[in-house]
Amino acid sequence: MNPQWVEGRAHEASVIAAGSTGPKMTLRELKAISSDPEATAAALEFDDIALSSSSDRQMAEVIADLYDKAKSSVTADDVLVANGATGANTIVFEALLSPGDHIICTFPAYAGLVDVPRALGADISYLHLSEKNNWDIDVPSLKSLIKPSTKMIVLNNPHNPTGATLSTEKQAEILKMASEQNITVLCDEIFRPLFHTDNTPTSFQEHSGYDKVITTGSLSKAWGFPGVRIGWIVCRNAKLRHSMSVVQNWILQDNSVIDKIIGAEVLSERCRPNILAKNLGYAKENLQLLKRFLEANKDTVSCVIPTGAATAFPKIMRDGQAVDDGEFCNTILKEQGLLVPPATQCFGPDPDGELKGRFRFHITIPPENFKKAIGALEAFITSEKFKGMKI
Ligand SMILES: Cc1ncc(COP(=O)(O)O)c(C=O)c1O
């Protein structure tokens, strides 16, 4: 994602459906959503907190609690606290990759998962995802990209921007393949557990056996606190964890003591289930609206319904051909005040034409805003301006 494209235009928009976080919350809202508001208010009483460096232990414990104990042996000892998922992913790449190391990344991708290893000199092979395969990973294609020198497979599940999820069975296949070749698997699970079907896949940490598996996450998406810069790295392999903790110490030193207190409260049993229920409720309502919109506009819009994460990745067509998504997004902003990011400019390059005509559509915004976004799309694709657009 190219944040500059969105930030430079936000002031022109009346409806913003360009992001990918949960609905952002205030501390007042956190206290109100808690099942024990008094206890939450007491936990968020900062006046007597010493503003010094502080232990990560409490934060690491609530992060370890995110994993299903019946399936996973993750404990607080396996957790490194970082500065958002941005900091977490950067620590992983800095610690484990050297110039020339071969890695495999899915594409399209959240840019940080590709740009950071590229900047570190990694040799990247792309596993191209496609709409006709529901944006799912084809394991034989992934296997065909492995070289004797492959060091890491970089995944993102649930996936930004497509909203696709990787099933438990496919995760197991990938882990088997990785373990046979001694390849580290990094899965950015920042959107976990935003799942929109009953068939909820496991985390990559909820498989037994192979331990060269790293997952990253943060408070930014499912938990709605992107301004609280708490993220995490989970890894059960002590050697990998040691390499990452050295980098963590010298890049980060420590997270803000205030952020850690807020983060532990957000992920507490009294707040976490209620935040998730609210965000999943928004997505459920919005996906109904999206399905109706797609059904009524089949000739103009195609979209795989997201099974996870916070975004959909629709394609706009005219006379059966993908429109110029840059022009589409700029014009709908001018004509209807709707801000959505164009795929080729925000998720490119687009060597196989899979991105053309697409934009990313935020599905966890409040339904009253999503309704306005759908209204703007409907008005625009039936307008004279749309008929004159480049394809
Ligand atoms: C897949 C993915 N990873 C990491 C990030 C960065 O998140 P954070 O705010 O926790 O740094 C994002 C943000 O959009 C993302 O989509």
Side-chain angles (χ1 to χ4, degrees):
M1 171 63 181
N2 171 1
Q4 282 85 16
W5 195 98
V6 170
E7 278 158 24
R9 290 167 174 80
H11 63 281
E12 296 172 44
S14 52
V15 189
I16 298 184
S20 64
T21 64
K24 297 173 196 81
M25 293 175 73
T26 63
L27 289 185
R28 192 186 303 284
E29 286 166 336
L30 180 61
K31 290 173 202 166
I33 209 169
S34 168
S35 53
D36 186 347
E38 276 177 25
T40 295
L44 298 176
E45 184 49 70
F46 299 119
D47 285 358
D48 295 318
I49 300 294
L51 298 177
S52 55
S53 56
S54 61
S55 162
D56 285 348
R57 193 68 195 179
Q58 190 193 2
M59 199 60 242
E61 277 168 5
V62 288
I63 292 164
D65 280 347
L66 295 174
Y67 298 91
D68 184 340
K69 293 276 171 279
K71 296 182 196 146
S72 152
S73 59
V74 167
T75 70
D77 293 338
D78 303 317
V79 177
L80 299 174
V81 181
N83 184 264
T86 305
N89 291 329
T90 303
I91 289 170
V92 175
F93 295 133
E94 276 274 356
L96 304 182
L97 296 181
S98 304
D101 280 346
H102 179 248
I103 68 169
I104 301 169
C105 298
T106 51
F107 192 85
Y110 170 71
L113 293 172
V114 176
D115 290 354
V116 178
R118 188 191 293 123
L120 291 168
D123 164 24
I124 305 178
S125 295
Y126 295 98
L127 176 67
H128 289 266
L129 307 173
S130 68
E131 184 179 58
K132 70 176 183 319
N133 197 26
N134 289 329
W135 305 111
D136 198 6
I137 287 182
D138 177 56
V139 178
S141 301
L142 175 58
K143 193 169 186 177
S144 73
L145 295 175
I146 293 178
K147 302 180 186 177
S149 60
T150 303
K151 196 127 185 229
M152 189 182 280
I153 295 172
V154 179
L155 305 170
N156 171 209
N157 184 46
H159 186 252
N160 177 8
T162 65
T165 52
L166 193 57
S167 69
T168 303
E169 295 71 28
K170 283 227 168 151
Q171 292 178 29
E173 280 181 60
I174 292 170
L175 288 175
K176 181 168 178 292
M177 197 170 69
S179 71
E180 285 162 5
Q181 319 255 0
N182 196 29
I183 298 168
T184 298
V185 176
L186 164 64
C187 188
D188 177 328
E189 295 186 344
I190 189 171
F191 290 98
R192 196 179 165 77
L194 281 177
F195 294 109
H196 313 306
T197 61
D198 295 336
N199 188 10
T200 304
T202 54
S203 160
F204 264 91
Q205 293 298 349
E206 292 168 347
H207 295 258
S208 55
Y210 193 52
D211 71 356
K212 288 181 86 174
V213 179
I214 301 167
T215 50
T216 53
S218 88
L219 295 181
S220 296
K221 309 294 179 184
W223 315 113
F225 281 82
V228 179
R229 300 304 298 153
I230 295 289
W232 50 86
I233 301 166
V234 179
C235 179
R236 286 169 291 152
N237 180 295
K239 202 162 158 225
L240 292 181
R241 210 170 50 243
H242 174 72
S243 304
M244 294 187 286
S245 75
V246 171
V247 175
Q248 179 209 31
N249 282 339
W250 297 116
I251 286 188
L252 181 65
Q253 274 277 333
D254 198 3
N255 277 97
S256 147
V257 58
I258 299 291
D259 279 3
K260 279 188 265 188
I261 292 168
I262 299 172
E265 189 56 29
V266 170
L267 294 186
S268 70
E269 274 300 328
R270 55 185 171 240
C271 295
R272 172 160 55 101
N274 302 349
I275 298 173
L276 184 63
K278 175 177 141 193
N279 293 348
L280 288 177
Y282 281 6
K284 192 172 178 189
E285 237 181 277
N286 294 341
L287 285 175
Q288 288 307 327
L289 294 167
L290 179 63
K291 281 179 197 161
R292 251 178 269 147
F293 168 70
L294 294 174
E295 194 51 43
N297 295 284
K298 275 191 198 127
D299 293 341
T300 314
V301 194
S302 77
C303 181
V304 178
I305 297 296
T307 50
T311 57
F313 206 41
K315 176 171 163 182
I316 304 288
M317 294 161 298
R318 223 196 54 226
D319 304 328
Q321 294 209 58
V323 298
D324 178 320
D325 46 282
E327 189 193 359
F328 179 85
C329 292
N330 277 315
T331 317
I332 201 168
L333 176 61
K334 215 172 282 155
E335 297 291 316
Q336 298 289 333
L338 172 65
L339 183 63
V340 284
T344 54
Q345 292 179 27
C346 296
F347 296 92
D350 187 25
D352 43 10
E354 194 64 61
L355 302 187
K356 186 164 183 243
R358 296 185 187 283
F359 63 90
R360 192 181 68 174
F361 200 15
H362 193 178
I363 60 160
T364 53
I365 57 177
E368 63 269 24
N369 294 351
F370 196 79
K371 238 175 249 164
K372 286 185 198 156
I374 291 278
L377 281 168
E378 229 145 26
F380 185 60
I381 63 176
T382 50
S383 71
E384 286 304 313
K385 268 259 167 7
F386 179 70
K387 287 183 196 142
M389 273 189 51
K390 278 200 291 242
I391 44 178

